[in-house]
């Protein structure tokens, strides 16, 4: 254990102790000699101002002074090398899953962690290149738009922007109270109270243009109401569930689907023949059908009948495209 971690461990031991901690236990916990322990105690007391009390003699023990010990904390941010490495890995994940969006803001944070890790360990840089992040379906995102939108969410201010919907390809100006940012399938969405429509809506951040943060405070919608309207149905589409879909997967596909999270309220059970039956609530069938159809013959929608018939139509239309040679 290096000195950084010994100091942190010593602080945590003394902070949580109700009675003086014996010297042998401290030496065992810190994996160090008596001389090293005394140097660490002196550093913690003299350099960092810890209120350490000690009992001498053959039964030496240490503790934090009552009252002062409860108020004392190490200056700055103290983490173990494992915790720092985990944070660095998280930073790398964020940077690679959304290039450029947060990388600039987190650059000093990353450099500081790398410096601390090199000080604590062998001095070698961590092989971050061994963390591989593969983005899927990620759309191009304007960094400035993202920062303005994120700022409005955190500062609880209304925002006005121009929005081009993919479904209609038409422009509209929106004045909204941002509620939260949602990262879904490698893309960002903004959940809002739309003042023009007087309703909750979700907007793809990559389709937002010319955002302007307003001075007016944002209207806060209770989290329960947000979840009820924006998270109770399958996928990113808003609205309360209109039905539950029942999908049965073959024995082969079941080995994957049984371990997958499709929805917070999903229900699943193994069938006697080895197949797996999954039930999820949905409002809009579009995204659900896309996810089911990717399993091809290994998935069958059983109920409701309307969704089953819609699936059949989609499959027939897809097959129709292969009836003639490509033009």
């Amino acid at each position: 254990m290096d000195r950084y971690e010994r100091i942190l461990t010593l602080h945590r031991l003394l902070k949580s102790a109700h009675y003086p901690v014996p010297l042998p236990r401290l030496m065992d916990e810190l994996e160090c000699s008596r001389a090293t322990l005394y140097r660490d105690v002196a550093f913690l007391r003299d350099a960092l101002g810890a209120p350490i009390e000690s009992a001498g003699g053959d039964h030496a023990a240490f503790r934090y002074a009552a009252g002062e010990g409860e108020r004392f904390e190490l200056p700055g941010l103290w983490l173990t090398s494992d915790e720092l490495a985990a944070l660095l890995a998280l930073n790398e994940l964020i940077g690679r899953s959304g290039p450029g969006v947060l990388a600039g803001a987190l650059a000093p944070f990353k450099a500081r962690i790398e410096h601390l890790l090199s000080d604590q360990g062998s001095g070698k840089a961590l092989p971050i290149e061994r963390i591989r992040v593969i983005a899927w379906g990620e759309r191009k995102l304007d960094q400035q738009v993202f920062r303005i939108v994120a700022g409005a969410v955190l500062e609880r201010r209304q925002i006005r922007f121009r929005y081009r919907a993919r479904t209609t390809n038409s422009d509209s100006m929106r004045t909204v109270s941002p509620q939260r940012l949602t990262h879904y399938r490698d893309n960002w969405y903004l959940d809002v109270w739309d003042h023009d429509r007087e309703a909750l809506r979700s907007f793809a951040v990559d389709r937002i243009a010319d955002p302007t943060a307003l001075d007016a405070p944002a209207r806060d919608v209770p989290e329960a109401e947000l979840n009820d309207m924006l998270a109770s149905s399958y996928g990113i589409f808003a609205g309360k569930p209109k039905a539950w879909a029942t999908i049965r997967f073959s024995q082969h596909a079941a080995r994957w689907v049984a371990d997958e999270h499709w929805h917070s309220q999903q229900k699943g059970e193994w069938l006697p023949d080895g197949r797996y039956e999954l039930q999820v609530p949905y409002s809009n069938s579009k995204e659900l059908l896309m996810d089911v159809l990717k399993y091809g013959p290994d998935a069958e929608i059983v109920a409701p009948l309307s969704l089953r018939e819609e699936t059949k139509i989609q499959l027939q239309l897809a097959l129709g495209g292969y009836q003639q040679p490509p033009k």
Side-chain angles (χ1 to χ4, degrees):
M1 187 182 297
D2 57 68
R3 188 186 189 194
Y4 181 97
E5 292 196 55
R6 290 200 312 272
I7 295 296
L8 178 57
T9 302
L10 178 60
H11 166 70
R12 289 176 174 174
L13 286 170
L14 298 181
K15 182 81 172 177
S16 60
H18 297 291
Y19 302 98
V21 184
L23 183 65
R25 182 192 168 192
L26 291 176
M27 292 169 56
D28 182 61
E29 293 280 357
L30 273 61
E31 302 173 358
C32 66
S33 65
R34 176 190 292 262
T36 298
L37 176 60
Y38 274 110
R39 285 195 296 269
D40 289 343
V41 168
F43 177 79
L44 185 58
R45 181 187 58 231
D46 301 333
L48 301 180
I52 297 178
E53 294 180 340
S54 60
D58 296 333
H59 302 288
F62 299 91
R63 64 170 296 174
Y64 277 166
E68 291 183 68
E70 295 176 1
R71 296 188 297 270
F72 175 75
E73 292 294 346
L74 291 176
L77 179 64
W78 287 69
L79 299 170
T80 67
S81 58
D82 288 344
E83 292 167 338
L84 287 170
L87 281 176
L88 191 56
L90 175 61
N91 179 71
E92 195 69 15
L93 175 63
I94 293 173
R96 296 190 184 187
S97 62
V101 175
L102 299 175
L106 294 177
F109 169 77
K110 178 180 178 181
R112 176 61 177 155
I113 290 179
E114 288 177 338
H115 176 69
L116 288 172
L117 284 170
S118 63
D119 282 351
Q120 293 180 47
S122 61
K124 296 180 180 179
L126 288 180
I128 295 300
E129 68 279 357
R130 294 190 176 274
I131 298 175
R132 188 183 184 209
V133 179
I134 301 176
W136 184 90
E138 180 183 358
R139 299 189 290 264
K140 186 177 180 181
L141 188 63
D142 187 298
Q143 296 183 42
Q144 185 62 19
V145 168
F146 180 85
R147 288 170 182 157
I148 294 174
V149 168
V153 171
L154 297 177
E155 294 171 7
R156 310 306 306 127
R157 296 166 60 189
Q158 291 184 27
I159 186 173
R160 181 181 294 120
F161 54 78
R162 181 167 54 85
Y163 190 76
R164 179 177 288 273
R166 281 192 171 86
T167 52
T168 62
N169 202 35
S170 60
D171 272 344
S172 62
M173 292 299 299
R174 302 296 182 99
T175 300
V176 305
S177 285
Q179 301 301 313
R180 59 190 180 189
L181 277 169
T182 299
H183 191 255
Y184 179 72
R185 299 196 181 194
D186 280 335
N187 290 289
W188 288 97
Y189 296 86
L190 179 65
D191 296 336
V192 308
W193 174 263
D194 190 325
H195 292 279
D196 300 313
R197 273 64 173 178
E198 287 293 314
L200 289 169
R201 293 287 188 269
S202 286
F203 295 97
V205 177
D206 60 283
R207 302 295 283 183
I208 292 176
D210 306 322
T212 301
L214 308 178
D215 292 331
R219 169 179 173 174
D220 287 329
V221 178
E223 186 176 2
E225 186 177 345
L226 287 174
N227 291 333
D228 188 44
M229 283 298 298
L230 302 177
S232 58
S233 293
Y234 186 84
I236 199 65
F237 294 105
K240 294 185 178 181
K242 66 178 183 182
W244 279 74
T246 301
I247 312 114
R248 288 178 183 164
F249 296 89
S250 68
Q251 294 182 32
H252 175 73
R255 295 197 293 269
W256 282 267
V257 177
D259 294 328
E260 292 176 352
H261 175 84
W262 285 50
H263 190 271
S264 60
Q265 299 177 32
Q266 69 184 44
K267 303 173 184 177
E269 65 172 332
W270 288 93
L271 302 179
D273 60 2
R275 291 183 298 166
Y276 187 77
E277 184 175 281
L278 178 69
Q279 293 182 315
V280 293
Y282 74 97
S283 172
N284 187 311
S285 62
K286 182 178 180 180
E287 189 172 358
L288 177 59
L289 284 181
M290 286 192 299
D291 287 340
V292 172
L293 290 174
K294 73 182 182 182
Y295 283 94
D298 287 315
E300 177 190 2
I301 292 180
V302 179
L305 181 60
S306 59
L307 184 62
R308 182 180 175 89
E309 291 300 316
E310 185 179 352
T311 307
K312 288 170 61 177
I313 293 173
Q314 292 292 328
L315 289 170
Q316 290 167 354
L317 290 173
L319 182 61
Y322 289 89
Q323 299 297 322
Q324 302 294 330
K327 299 179 180 179

